Every structure is written in C-alpha cells, then in structure tokens.
Amino acid sequence: MDEYIPPSTKIPSQSDKEYHVFLSFRGKDVRNTLVDRLFEALTAAGLQVFLDSHKLKKGEIIGLSLERAIESSAIRIPIFSRGYAESTWCLKEAATMVKTEGLIIPLFYDVLPTEVRYPQGNSSPYKQAFQKHYAHSDQIRRQDIEWWKYVLQQICPCLKLYGHSVRYAREEIDGWKDALENICCRSGWSMNSTVSMEAQRVKTVVNDVIKTFDRVPLEVAKHRVGLDSVTEDLIHKFILNSEGDVGKAGLWGIGGIGKTTLAKALYNQVYTQFDAASFVFNIRTTAADSMGLTKLQKKILKDLCMYVGEVYSVDEGKSLFRDRLKGKRVLLILDDVDAMEQSNALVGEWLAPGSRVVITSRNKHILHVAGISPEYIHEMSGLQINEGLQLFSWHAFLRASPNATHEDMSKKMVEACKGHPLSLEVMGAFLYDKQNDPGCWMEALHNIALHPDIHKTLYISYSALSEEEKEIFLDIACFFIGEHKKCPIVFWKSLYRMVHTAISNLSLKLLIKIDDEGVFDMHDHLRDMGRTIAEKEKRGTRLWEAAHLSNIPNNINCSRLRFNGE
C-alpha cells in the first residue's frame, strides 16, 4: 500500500456535510492513545470530527446514529488495529462507509494491509476474528435469527440490532470481508505504536486531511497584461529562496498601481506548495472597525487551520496562532496594510520555518517595521507603454490593440496614464461606447485623475496624511515639481515643526519622489489630484495660474502665490 496522496479532485472546504472526519476504531485498542491524540490534533486544526464518546447523545439508538454520522462525514478514516475485526460494530461501520458516498482513507495501526485485505495466515488477527464470526453464525439457524429479530422488534419497533448479542448470517459476514478488501485497495497511512513515530504520523495525517479539502485559487485580472513575467521573477526572488527560514516580502506602490493583482497572481502560483494558505484583503478598511483586527485574525485562523471559534481580543488571537499553527508551513498574504499594529497583530513568531509572508502597502515605512529587508521590497512601477496600450485596448475596444482610426489618440491616452493600471482600465471602459465622439476623448485625456474611480483610489493616501503633510503635499503639487527641495524647506520651516519627517513620510508613501539631485517629482495623477484639492477644498490658498486671481474669495489670505514659474 502506498502512502496517502490527496486526490486531484478535492473536497469543497464548505461542503454540505455535517462533519469533516469520521473516525472508526476499536476502543479497546486505540481509544486512549492514538485516537485521543488524533482527535485533538484534527479538532485543533479546526475540523469537525465525529467521535462516538463526544458526539453520541444519551438515549440515541447507537446503530442509527453511527450510520447517520458516517453518511454526514466528508472523510471516513477506519483505524485498522489488530483487534478491529473482532468488533462487529467496526465491521458494520466499514461496510456502511463502502455503501455510502464519501472519501475513505484507511489507517493501518500495527497491522499490515495484507492481513486486513486477505486474512489467510493462521497468525493473522483478522483471520482469527472472522473464524469466530463464522463459527458464531453456524451455531444457530438463519430462521431462528430472524425469529428472534422479529420478537425483539415487536417489543421495540424502532430497534435496529447490532452487537455480539445478535448472530449474523454468513452472507453479512462475507459482506464485511468484501468491505475491508474494498477499503484496503485505497491509499492510506501505516503507523506503529512507537510513541515517537506515532506523534509524527499524527501530524502527517492531519496535514494530509487538510490538503484533501479544496483551496480555491483567487480570481485575478481578466487581462493579465505584463503580469506573468513579473510574477515568475518575484516567485523566484521572494518565495523559493531561503527554504529553511521564514521569508517576508513587500509590494509597495501608490493606489491602483496593481499591488493586489500581483499578490493574487503570486498566491495562485504557489499556494498549493504550503501546508495552508491565507489571503487577507482590505486590511486597512477592515482594521478601522473597533473589532477589525480580531476579525482579521479569525479569518487567518479559519483559512490556515479551519478554526471556527471566536476571537475576543488581539492577544487571544496571537495565542491561538501560536497554539493552532505551530509547526505549519504557511503562505500568508496581507493586502493593504497601513499601520504597524496591523502587522503586529497578524504576523508573529508562530510562523514555522519555510513559511512565506507577503505584505502590500502604500507606505514603505510599514514594510520596514514589519521586518522586511529592503532587498525584498518590490516597488510597483506600472506598465510599459506597449503593455499599457494593450491593457487600454482590451477595455476600450475588446481587443489587444486599437484600430487605425483610434491608434494615435489611444497612444496619447496611454502616455497620459503613465503606466497606471487602474487608470488604463477605467479610462478604457469609459471610452468603450464613445469611440465616435472625439470631444469625449479629448476631455478624458485632460481629466484622467478627476475620474471618480481614480480620484477616490488616490485620495485614500492623501486623507491618511497629517495636516502638515497635506499642506506640504499640496505645495509640491501646485508649485515645486521640478524644483530643488532646498528653498521650499526653508519656507516650510517657518510654518511647520516636522518638515523633514513630513517629506520623508510623503516619499515613503510614494506621494512624491526626490531624485538623486534633490529635485521634487510626482506622478501626474497625484499632481492633478493635489491641484484639484487645492482648488476645491482649500480654495484661494494656492495660486499657480494667472487665471486664478479672478476667482479669489474676498475672505482668503493668499499666502502662496506662483505664476508659471515666475
């Protein structure tokens, strides 16, 4: 018999079965040793396990309850110990497993599969057990058995007869042997009663059972333009290196640049190589709720070990991580982290060697404090021109390239989007039914950053800034793009206390860039967003075009003036 190999067709993790696992065993042989340990490990992994001593209720008819439990279990594990066949309860359970729909995985405990499948040798405990069953059956005629069954059922109509007090016909005993032979043809596990080996094999059983339940790949982008090559590069750099260590990597970039899409592509490529995997979306938004962090911890526990209990505090969640996930090699992807307490609550020393953590964030500082080395932080730079044109075309024309009529304008649109995937997708979809309206194309070209979907995504980063950081960001957007930082810093120091810290934070969040010469730069979409905020939210406080003079409200003190660089 080969070691158990999880089937290619997996069991849905959210199946309609009441139990994940049914354990069939002879209590005298293994209840207080292997079964207790296995039940505890499976339950700790978040699985619902049927064990007669835990699940049967007083007053229930045992035979009927066991049959229902078997039918309601996705996986059935008969534990073939040396005395298993002595119990007619166990043999009936094995026969029911074969007759009903469900995955059967045998576990051979101190007994060879050949002894169970073909119990022919005189020393085989299974041959001896079946000889007793046949001899017991031959002591009384079949019609006598039926008569006694009839009498007992008249006394108690709902009674279903099991156990040694009833003598079974040879045909039924033959059926038990056929059931054992059927089960032994399936891949499973072998185990002996050595304590050290038993502990390791229990861990193997639990991991194999969990792998048998389906983990569904994530839906990535419909059009995977420029995605596959960078995914492969990052897998080799971030995922496959340092096999024995806990590896951490970061994806860093502005909103809409494709961090989440790339993280999902990474997840789909490698999640089957780990004992368990979890992708946690929208951490920034979820963590804003009063119990947000515990909700996120519960989601991770459910994904990694099928934990179904509650998490009442962050500290309790950390303890559960250590208790339930110790020793598991896992893949954990945390999407949109924007605060240190989030990474502290969700990542810790519970991670086993070989585990991998990928964090996406708009703030490079968050990746640093999460313990990610600079060489494992990937800055999202957007798409190349040809890739951008392809992505835009799929959304604007439902094809990989524009037609000749729209080629020039499409290229201008792609250049204006600066490789920003969200902008390319949003503007392409916006112009899909406006192909014959040049006026709409021209308006869209000059107002990309003002589209509600794009503006909303970019505004998230701005809204998270301190008041000083907001003012400095708006100054750069309106006045200082292309200017050296030296002069504006002198001006800002007369107004603010934490100027260098604010500039550093803006840079870490990719809201501004400073080149090697100390000159400010900014993504065009962020520039346009900043100037729109200055015009609408802080009207009249910043003037960078002469036309603004005619629109100054009387009650505004114009503290910042600049006209076309003069």
Side-chain angles (χ1 to χ4, degrees):
M1 183 213 64
D2 296 329
E3 284 300 293
Y4 173 66
I5 301 173
S8 55
T9 302
K10 303 296 184 71
I11 298 172
S13 56
Q14 301 296 329
S15 67
D16 58 356
K17 300 290 189 180
E18 183 177 357
Y19 303 103
H20 293 104
V21 180
F22 179 94
L23 297 177
S24 174
F25 59 94
R26 185 174 184 242
K28 183 179 178 180
D29 293 349
V30 292
R31 181 185 296 277
N32 296 322
T33 54
L34 171 66
V35 169
D36 282 351
R37 180 176 289 178
L38 186 57
F39 176 80
E40 182 180 346
L42 289 168
T43 303
L47 298 175
Q48 295 295 313
V49 183
F50 183 92
L51 189 66
D52 53 11
S53 60
H54 290 74
K55 299 295 183 180
L56 287 178
K57 298 178 182 178
K58 290 183 179 180
E60 284 188 319
I61 299 173
I62 296 177
L64 290 174
S65 297
L66 291 174
E67 282 191 359
R68 284 196 298 265
I70 292 171
E71 293 172 357
S72 300
S73 299
I75 297 177
R76 300 88 181 268
I77 302 178
I79 302 174
F80 292 130
S81 59
R82 297 189 69 80
Y84 184 91
E86 294 180 18
S87 169
T88 55
W89 289 96
C90 292
L91 293 172
K92 277 185 166 289
E93 288 172 4
T96 302
M97 291 179 195
V98 173
K99 293 175 184 176
T100 57
E101 182 180 353
L103 180 63
I104 305 172
I105 313 174
L107 192 160
F108 299 90
Y109 186 80
D110 270 345
V111 67
L112 297 175
T114 53
E115 294 181 277
V116 179
R117 183 188 301 179
Y118 307 116
Q120 297 175 352
N122 290 329
S123 61
S124 168
Y126 281 72
K127 179 177 181 178
Q128 295 170 10
F130 275 101
Q131 285 176 339
K132 291 179 182 178
H133 293 314
Y134 283 125
H136 197 57
S137 174
D138 292 339
Q139 290 175 7
I140 187 167
R141 294 176 301 172
R142 176 66 181 175
Q143 55 266 36
D144 292 335
I145 296 174
E146 296 302 326
W147 184 83
W148 280 109
K149 284 185 177 181
Y150 172 79
V151 171
L152 291 173
Q153 286 175 343
Q154 293 304 307
I155 298 171
C156 182
C158 61
L159 181 64
K160 190 160 186 176
L161 301 175
Y162 287 83
H164 286 294
S165 62
V166 178
R167 305 177 192 277
Y168 297 94
R170 295 184 68 88
E171 293 83 357
E172 189 165 5
I173 299 172
D174 289 340
W176 299 341
K177 290 183 68 176
D178 292 340
L180 296 187
E181 183 173 349
N182 179 296
I183 294 173
C184 289
C185 291
R186 307 163 190 255
S187 63
W189 307 281
S190 292
M191 186 183 301
N192 60 44
S193 57
T194 305
V195 175
S196 59
M197 287 296 295
E198 183 178 299
Q200 180 60 38
R201 297 300 283 162
V202 165
K203 180 179 178 181
T204 299
V205 170
V206 174
N207 288 336
D208 286 346
V209 167
I210 291 174
K211 289 178 182 178
T212 300
F213 288 96
D214 188 26
R215 280 183 270 165
V216 181
L218 301 172
E219 182 68 27
V220 191
K222 182 177 181 180
H223 306 292
R224 301 172 61 91
V225 178
L227 189 59
D228 292 335
S229 58
V230 68
T231 300
E232 290 298 324
D233 290 343
L234 293 183
I235 286 173
H236 285 89
K237 182 178 180 180
F238 291 163
I239 308 297
L240 301 181
N241 65 326
S242 304
E243 190 67 25
D245 301 324
V246 174
K248 296 180 182 179
L251 303 180
W252 172 48
I254 62 173
I257 200 66
K259 300 183 297 297
T260 302
T261 300
L262 179 56
K264 289 194 290 186
L266 285 170
Y267 177 93
N268 285 350
Q269 287 289 325
V270 300
Y271 76 95
T272 57
Q273 301 177 27
F274 295 83
D275 296 335
S278 179
F279 194 115
V280 189
F281 291 93
N282 303 320
I283 290 174
R284 172 183 53 82
T285 303
T286 305
D289 183 81
S290 59
M291 294 297 289
L293 289 177
T294 57
K295 291 179 182 178
L296 294 169
Q297 290 177 323
K298 182 178 177 180
K299 190 241 182 327
I300 293 173
L301 287 163
K302 184 176 184 295
D303 289 345
L304 299 185
C305 68
M306 296 188 180
Y307 177 79
V308 294
E310 293 298 326
V311 179
Y312 295 103
S313 70
V314 171
D315 287 340
E316 182 187 17
K318 292 179 179 180
S319 296
L320 285 168
F321 285 151
R322 288 190 293 269
D323 181 52
R324 302 299 176 95
L325 300 174
K326 187 176 181 180
K328 265 194 173 184
R329 183 174 173 271
V330 304
L331 172 66
L332 178 61
I333 297 186
L334 306 178
D335 177 51
D336 199 12
V337 175
D338 74 339
M340 182 171 62
E341 59 266 23
Q342 296 165 9
S343 59
N344 288 343
L346 305 178
V347 182
E349 297 178 356
W350 56 269
L351 289 161
S355 295
R356 294 290 180 268
V357 179
V358 179
I359 300 175
T360 78
S361 181
R362 304 178 184 213
N363 188 346
K364 194 175 186 180
H365 175 69
I366 296 300
L367 302 179
H368 287 159
V369 297
I372 301 175
S373 300
E375 64 268 27
Y376 292 119
I377 296 176
H378 175 73
E379 180 179 351
M380 305 290 295
S381 57
L383 299 175
Q384 301 295 322
I385 291 295
N386 60 328
E387 295 172 338
L389 183 61
Q390 186 177 349
L391 182 60
F392 174 82
S393 298
W394 276 117
H395 289 272
F397 311 109
L398 304 184
R399 49 188 286 181
S401 60
N403 54 39
T405 304
H406 296 88
E407 184 174 1
D408 289 342
M409 185 57 76
S410 295
K411 288 181 178 179
K412 290 180 180 179
M413 188 67 68
V414 170
E415 289 175 359
C417 287
K418 301 292 184 181
H420 192 255
L422 176 64
S423 300
L424 292 163
E425 292 177 0
V426 169
M427 299 314 297
F430 174 73
L431 295 169
Y432 167 68
D433 55 358
K434 301 176 179 65
Q435 297 181 22
N436 298 320
D437 193 336
C440 287
W441 279 67
M442 289 302 297
E443 289 176 356
L445 179 62
H446 296 294
N447 295 281
I448 292 174
L450 303 185
H451 189 284
D453 291 342
I454 300 171
H455 180 81
K456 179 181 178 181
T457 298
L458 297 176
Y459 191 85
I460 291 171
S461 296
Y462 171 81
S463 63
L465 299 175
S466 69
E467 287 304 314
E468 289 190 4
E469 291 167 351
K470 288 179 179 178
E471 296 295 338
I472 291 174
F473 169 78
L474 295 179
D475 282 350
I476 296 173
C478 296
F479 305 131
F480 298 121
I481 293 175
E483 300 289 338
H484 197 280
K485 64 182 181 180
K486 183 177 180 180
C487 289
I489 285 177
V490 173
F491 165 68
W492 287 324
K493 282 187 174 181
S494 67
L495 299 173
Y496 311 123
R497 298 173 57 189
M498 305 286 287
V499 175
H500 289 287
T501 299
I503 293 173
S504 175
N505 288 341
L506 291 172
S507 179
L508 288 169
K509 295 179 181 180
L510 282 178
L511 292 173
I512 64 171
K513 293 185 178 180
I514 305 174
D515 67 15
D516 294 338
E517 302 297 324
V519 175
F520 287 124
D521 196 7
M522 184 181 292
H523 194 287
D524 288 357
H525 294 356
L526 293 169
R527 176 203 63 200
D528 294 345
M529 179 193 71
R531 292 183 175 184
T532 300
I533 293 171
E535 287 181 330
K536 293 183 177 181
E537 296 185 17
K538 299 179 180 291
R539 188 179 174 199
T541 61
R542 291 170 179 82
L543 309 176
W544 62 93
E545 293 180 0
H548 292 158
L549 289 175
S550 62
N551 297 322
I552 302 174
N554 294 329
N555 61 341
I556 292 296
N557 176 22
C558 299
S559 59
R560 295 169 171 86
L561 301 174
R562 185 179 178 89
F563 304 114
N564 296 325
E566 299 177 0

